[in-house]
Amino acid sequence: MKRKITLKQIAQELDVSISTVSKALRNSAEISDDTKQKVQAFAKLYNYRPNNIALSLKNRRTNTIGIIIPEIVHHFFSNVISGVEHVANKRGYNVIIGLSNESFSKEVINMEMLANGSIDGFILSIAKETQKLQDYHHFNETMSQGMPIVMFDRVVAEINCDKVIVDDFNGAKKAVEKLIKNNCKSIALITTNDYVSVGKLRTQGYLEAFEENGITAEPKLILKIDDTLDNETQLDVLENEIEQLFKSNKSIDGVFAVNELYALLAMKVATKLGLEVPEDVQVIGFTDGVLSKHSTPRLTTVRQHAHRMGEMAAQLLIDKLESEYDTIDEEFQTVVIPTELIERESTK
Amino acid sequence: MKRKITLKQIAQELDVSISTVSKALRNSAEISDDTKQKVQAFAKLYNYRPNNIALSLKNRRTNTIGIIIPEIVHHFFSNVISGVEHVANKRGYNVIIGLSNESFSKEVINMEMLANGSIDGFILSIAKETQKLQDYHHFNETMSQGMPIVMFDRVVAEINCDKVIVDDFNGAKKAVEKLIKNNCKSIALITTNDYVSVGKLRTQGYLEAFEENGITAEPKLILKIDDTLDNETQLDVLENEIEQLFKSNKSIDGVFAVNELYALLAMKVATKLGLEVPEDVQVIGFTDGVLSKHSTPRLTTVRQHAHRMGEMAAQLLIDKLESEYDTIDEEFQTVVIPTELIERESTK
DNA sequence: TTTTAACACGAAAACGTTTTCGTGACTTCC
DNA sequence: GGAAGTCACGAAAACGTTTTCGTGTTAAAA
């Protein structure tokens, strides 16, 4: 088929030079009105659009940002993407995605693939495996090449860059306080292993709420789920673990879970064991996703404002990109997005 | 900070020409072993990587594919993306995303933004507004410029291009047949307006199952939801409509819904009205998402294999891109992905 | 010793832009 | 009528690659 038309072709066709065509299209005062009209009409007729790749090469800016996330089939992450895309689009940037699938090596490969000029900067949330290995060389290398990074949600303290995080600690704390205020006497925690930074922070929020209220935390009320468990296929294992928690602690009248799936399963198990939600046991989950919204009873959750996080991350990154001439400004900021407790039917 | 190193800089530093460096790095036989070693060592030391943009310009291929979808916070679409990303990555392509938010103009703008050389081809599912307006000029223009398009799920018959679709008709038909076989005598349909192509096809499947079993469809059992309704905020309206359906048709003992939310709400309403699922009313939904998997009772659904659809779409596109020299092959194919009935707890 | 072949490298073009600078043809001014 | 200035345009460089072709040097063959 016919390829896209270029300046060169227009120039040939109209018997002028390439520079004249370029200037005419950009409405330069250097060019006579006659020529301008002729060129512009021709360009319009053939639907001329400047080639983006050539522009990128010339300007040494691609106007594209890369976003690397652990998974995309996930309410939180897809929401972040939509936020990123929203402001990126508004400000004339494209968004290119890479999935790490929670794997360290895929994260590294993805970043290397994009860092070679394809994008101007990164927005990313690191893979669990990376958190476990604590190998951050790829971030340092990328930044040392002058490519800015904005991390969100799962961030790493050792790396100096802009960050957008959820207030995991206080979000969890407030949720647990809510349970305490609602007269729960035996509040269980369902969380992940400690190397997952957000899981750890939420756990700390739980503990802090206890402490401030003079309650001593009981280890047996804390269930740490091994999250190498595949939530898709090993759902029954998960459910079983939670069931054991309930069975060996009949006193439980409140549950705080670090994600909505755990919270939902807690409700399910409770119901199965003949307990009523929220009468007998109240449940709050972190992460406000579709599951929480449409469960019966509808789950009280800690909303993270994922969309806003994405918007904020994109804003930070683009601001940095567009102020790169005053490169002295090597001040990095960490924006904390406050959480919001959405009270629904799983609490009194 | 220090920018990425280029061939030119290596050449200067080593006092050879740019061509020599390039050849040395590509292990050309033209270059002496001495020089090769020197250059390669230097390149490795400074972590040289060829600039992708320059390569794209030279090769006139970006090795990037664009995917335009109506929304990303959506189990089906995010699953498709993950499929696309999977094979794209495996075959050395990047994926750049654009969201139309179901808007015609955003779809057009997004496509124009990417069609100017940023990508080699499109994978897309068209916006509802585009379906309603039936304005497809942007697809034709894109294709006439030699840029291939692969459509998935929501496709348009008038455009000649590769397509990947769900077998909506048969998927729906089989689901309804299942209900019939399970002795449902009064099967309701909860669907969307007709201009949504997949909604229409699923409705036809429902009708066909009736016909083949000698049952006459009753219009009052068919609820068409106006999908300009925002599922997020107007949930109660939705729920109310479904409740009315049940109340004015006490005989209903089976429900087929064209998406999982409608199905879930149907279960919820039924339960609320004192009906047991699946004892009194059996429910099947199209689209196998998280809601279905984690509802109580767990929903029987028609699985679409979204991930596989994404993989297939990417494969079709890349195959076409990489065979573009024998451009005569203007045969387009439509791949139909069969559905699968996942029987869970909402049917007997 | 002369011709030929192999070897090792450099110059330059090309991909599609934008922009700086130069220049020939007029016009204006004294 | 010559100097100076304006106008309208073209040549060329640059962004970072790859690749084709040309060329000088050396070694082998005649």
Side-chain angles (χ1 to χ4, degrees):
Chain A
M1 303 288 95
K2 54 175 181 186
R3 280 230 156 278
K4 293 218 63 166
I5 197 169
T6 70
L7 286 187
K8 199 186 205 176
Q9 293 169 37
I10 300 184
Q12 264 172 354
E13 213 66 35
L14 261 45
D15 232 9
V16 291
S17 77
I18 296 182
S19 4
T20 302
V21 177
S22 175
K23 289 172 189 163
L25 290 177
R26 324 194 91 239
N27 239 316
S28 158
E30 265 183 88
I31 306 297
S32 72
D33 287 350
D34 274 7
T35 318
K36 270 192 212 170
Q37 284 217 315
K38 196 173 55 173
V39 172
Q40 287 173 2
F42 191 92
K44 183 158 201 171
L45 180 62
Y46 283 89
N47 196 27
Y48 170 79
R49 293 276 179 278
N51 180 305
N52 238 313
I53 296 294
L55 284 178
S56 293
L57 183 58
K58 176 127 195 49
N59 303 328
R60 296 156 107 193
R61 322 191 63 251
T62 60
N63 275 29
T64 301
I65 68 192
I67 174 165
I68 311 273
I69 51 174
E71 43 174 339
I72 195 173
V73 186
H74 192 295
H75 193 262
F76 175 73
F77 287 119
S78 57
N79 244 305
V80 171
I81 296 186
S82 86
V84 170
E85 203 269 350
H86 183 219
V87 344
N89 217 54
K90 199 158 56 182
R91 298 182 67 170
Y93 283 73
N94 284 319
V95 178
I96 182 164
I97 61 164
L99 305 182
S100 68
N101 286 322
E102 304 285 11
S103 140
F104 171 73
S105 65
K106 268 210 74 178
E107 183 175 279
V108 173
I109 290 175
N110 255 306
M111 286 190 66
E112 284 178 351
M113 184 150 171
L114 294 181
N116 303 321
S118 300
I119 62 168
D120 297 333
F122 279 108
I123 291 176
L124 56 86
S125 188
I126 74 180
K128 281 183 190 166
E129 196 185 355
T130 309
Q131 292 190 311
K132 207 183 308 192
L133 297 174
Q134 303 196 27
D135 183 344
Y136 309 131
H137 76 278
H138 48 314
F139 304 133
N140 284 319
E141 271 173 24
T142 305
M143 294 191 64
S144 81
Q145 285 169 355
M147 180 158 302
I149 293 181
V150 176
M151 294 191 181
F152 72 91
D153 195 46
R154 302 193 199 150
V155 304
V156 11
E158 292 92 317
I159 300 284
N160 239 316
C161 66
D162 287 328
K163 293 164 189 169
V164 181
I165 54 177
V166 178
D167 194 351
D168 290 292
F169 180 81
N170 282 308
K173 189 176 151 208
K174 284 195 185 144
V176 176
E177 279 170 352
K178 168 76 182 171
L179 291 175
I180 294 174
K181 209 179 64 184
N182 278 9
N183 245 324
C184 291
K185 299 300 176 195
S186 177
I187 303 173
L189 168 69
I190 308 180
T191 182
T192 58
N193 280 335
D194 272 347
Y195 67 83
V196 181
S197 59
V198 297
K200 189 173 179 181
L201 284 168
R202 291 169 197 171
T203 301
Q204 288 171 349
Y206 165 88
L207 295 173
E208 174 73 10
F210 271 31
E211 188 147 348
E212 283 193 7
N213 284 274
I215 311 176
T216 42
E218 295 178 66
K220 60 175 184 170
L221 287 182
I222 300 182
L223 174 59
K224 293 198 181 185
I225 307 269
D226 174 17
D227 63 0
T228 56
L229 271 184
D230 182 9
N231 289 342
E232 296 300 306
T233 59
Q234 300 177 285
L235 210 53
D236 45 342
V237 182
L238 206 55
E239 200 170 321
N240 204 46
E241 284 204 46
I242 297 177
E243 191 166 336
Q244 290 312 317
L245 173 70
F246 272 95
K247 282 187 175 165
S248 43
N249 297 281
K250 306 266 183 191
S251 62
I252 291 177
D253 57 358
V255 173
F256 172 63
V258 297
N259 61 46
E260 62 171 358
L261 180 57
Y262 294 174
L264 188 72
L265 288 176
M267 286 210 305
K268 190 172 181 180
V269 166
T271 310
K272 186 168 145 196
L273 297 177
L275 300 167
E276 299 262 339
V277 179
E279 289 74 14
D280 303 325
V281 48
Q282 302 182 47
V283 181
I284 300 183
F286 219 100
T287 298
D288 184 41
V290 277
L291 284 181
S292 311
K293 199 174 300 172
H294 296 117
S295 62
T296 14
R298 287 152 62 231
L299 253 171
T300 293
T301 61
V302 179
R303 178 176 291 172
Q304 296 163 295
H305 300 292
H307 190 87
R308 198 178 305 162
M309 285 185 73
E311 292 182 326
M312 179 60 75
Q315 185 188 314
L316 283 177
L317 181 59
I318 297 178
D319 282 352
K320 177 135 295 187
L321 288 174
E322 301 196 337
S323 75
E324 212 154 24
Y325 44 87
D326 46 73
T327 172
I328 318 297
D329 173 31
E330 278 306 47
E331 304 283 297
F332 296 112
Q333 35 181 327
T334 294
V335 177
V336 179
I337 306 285
T339 60
E340 184 186 354
L341 190 66
I342 306 293
E343 298 189 31
R344 286 198 276 245
E345 302 164 355
S346 66
T347 49
K348 290 182 195 165
Chain B
M1 303 291 94
K2 54 173 182 185
R3 281 228 156 279
K4 294 219 62 164
I5 197 169
T6 69
L7 287 186
K8 198 186 205 176
Q9 292 169 37
I10 299 184
Q12 265 172 354
E13 213 65 35
L14 261 44
D15 231 9
V16 290
S17 77
I18 296 181
S19 4
T20 301
V21 177
S22 174
K23 289 171 189 163
L25 292 175
R26 323 196 90 238
N27 239 317
S28 157
E30 267 182 87
I31 306 297
S32 71
D33 288 350
D34 274 7
T35 318
K36 269 192 214 171
Q37 284 216 317
K38 196 173 55 174
V39 172
Q40 287 172 2
F42 191 91
K44 184 159 199 170
L45 180 63
Y46 284 89
N47 197 26
Y48 169 79
R49 294 275 179 278
N51 181 303
N52 238 314
I53 297 294
L55 283 179
S56 293
L57 183 57
K58 176 126 196 50
N59 302 329
R60 299 156 104 193
R61 320 191 64 252
T62 60
N63 276 29
T64 301
I65 69 192
I67 174 166
I68 312 274
I69 50 173
E71 44 174 338
I72 194 172
V73 186
H74 193 294
H75 193 261
F76 175 73
F77 288 119
S78 57
N79 244 307
V80 171
I81 296 186
S82 86
V84 170
E85 203 269 351
H86 183 218
V87 343
N89 216 54
K90 199 158 55 181
R91 298 183 64 170
Y93 282 73
N94 285 320
V95 178
I96 182 164
I97 61 165
L99 305 182
S100 66
N101 287 322
E102 304 286 9
S103 140
F104 171 74
S105 66
K106 270 210 74 180
E107 182 174 279
V108 173
I109 291 175
N110 255 307
M111 286 190 66
E112 284 178 351
M113 183 151 172
L114 294 182
N116 303 322
S118 299
I119 63 168
D120 296 334
F122 279 108
I123 291 176
L124 56 86
S125 188
I126 74 180
K128 282 183 189 165
E129 197 185 354
T130 308
Q131 292 190 311
K132 208 183 308 192
L133 296 174
Q134 303 195 24
D135 183 344
Y136 309 130
H137 76 279
H138 47 314
F139 304 133
N140 284 319
E141 270 174 23
T142 305
M143 293 192 64
S144 81
Q145 284 169 355
M147 181 159 300
I149 293 181
V150 176
M151 294 191 180
F152 71 91
D153 195 44
R154 302 193 199 149
V155 303
V156 10
E158 293 92 318
I159 300 284
N160 240 314
C161 65
D162 287 328
K163 293 164 190 169
V164 181
I165 53 176
V166 178
D167 194 351
D168 290 292
F169 179 82
N170 283 308
K173 188 175 151 208
K174 283 195 186 145
V176 175
E177 279 169 351
K178 168 79 181 171
L179 291 175
I180 294 173
K181 208 179 65 185
N182 279 7
N183 245 325
C184 292
K185 300 298 177 196
S186 177
I187 303 172
L189 169 70
I190 308 179
T191 183
T192 58
N193 279 334
D194 273 348
Y195 68 82
V196 180
S197 57
V198 297
K200 190 173 178 182
L201 283 168
R202 291 169 197 173
T203 301
Q204 288 171 349
Y206 165 88
L207 295 174
E208 174 72 11
F210 270 33
E211 189 147 344
E212 283 193 6
N213 284 274
I215 310 176
T216 44
E218 295 177 66
K220 60 175 184 168
L221 287 182
I222 299 182
L223 174 59
K224 292 198 182 185
I225 307 268
D226 174 18
D227 63 359
T228 56
L229 271 183
D230 183 9
N231 289 343
E232 296 300 305
T233 60
Q234 299 177 287
L235 211 54
D236 46 342
V237 182
L238 206 56
E239 201 170 321
N240 205 45
E241 284 204 46
I242 296 176
E243 193 166 337
Q244 290 313 314
L245 173 70
F246 272 95
K247 282 187 175 164
S248 42
N249 299 280
K250 305 268 184 192
S251 63
I252 291 177
D253 57 359
V255 173
F256 173 64
V258 298
N259 62 46
E260 62 170 358
L261 181 57
Y262 294 174
L264 188 72
L265 289 175
M267 285 210 305
K268 190 172 182 178
V269 166
T271 312
K272 186 169 145 195
L273 296 179
L275 300 167
E276 299 261 341
V277 177
E279 289 74 13
D280 302 328
V281 49
Q282 302 181 49
V283 181
I284 299 183
F286 218 99
T287 297
D288 184 41
V290 277
L291 284 181
S292 309
K293 198 174 300 172
H294 297 117
S295 61
T296 15
R298 288 152 63 230
L299 253 171
T300 293
T301 60
V302 179
R303 178 176 292 171
Q304 296 162 296
H305 301 292
H307 189 86
R308 198 178 306 164
M309 284 184 72
E311 291 182 328
M312 180 60 75
Q315 185 187 316
L316 283 178
L317 182 59
I318 296 179
D319 282 351
K320 176 135 296 184
L321 288 174
E322 302 196 337
S323 74
E324 212 154 24
Y325 42 89
D326 48 71
T327 173
I328 318 297
D329 173 30
E330 279 305 47
E331 304 283 298
F332 296 114
Q333 35 181 326
T334 295
V335 177
V336 179
I337 306 284
T339 59
E340 185 184 355
L341 189 67
I342 307 291
E343 298 189 33
R344 286 199 276 245
E345 302 164 355
S346 66
T347 49
K348 289 183 195 166

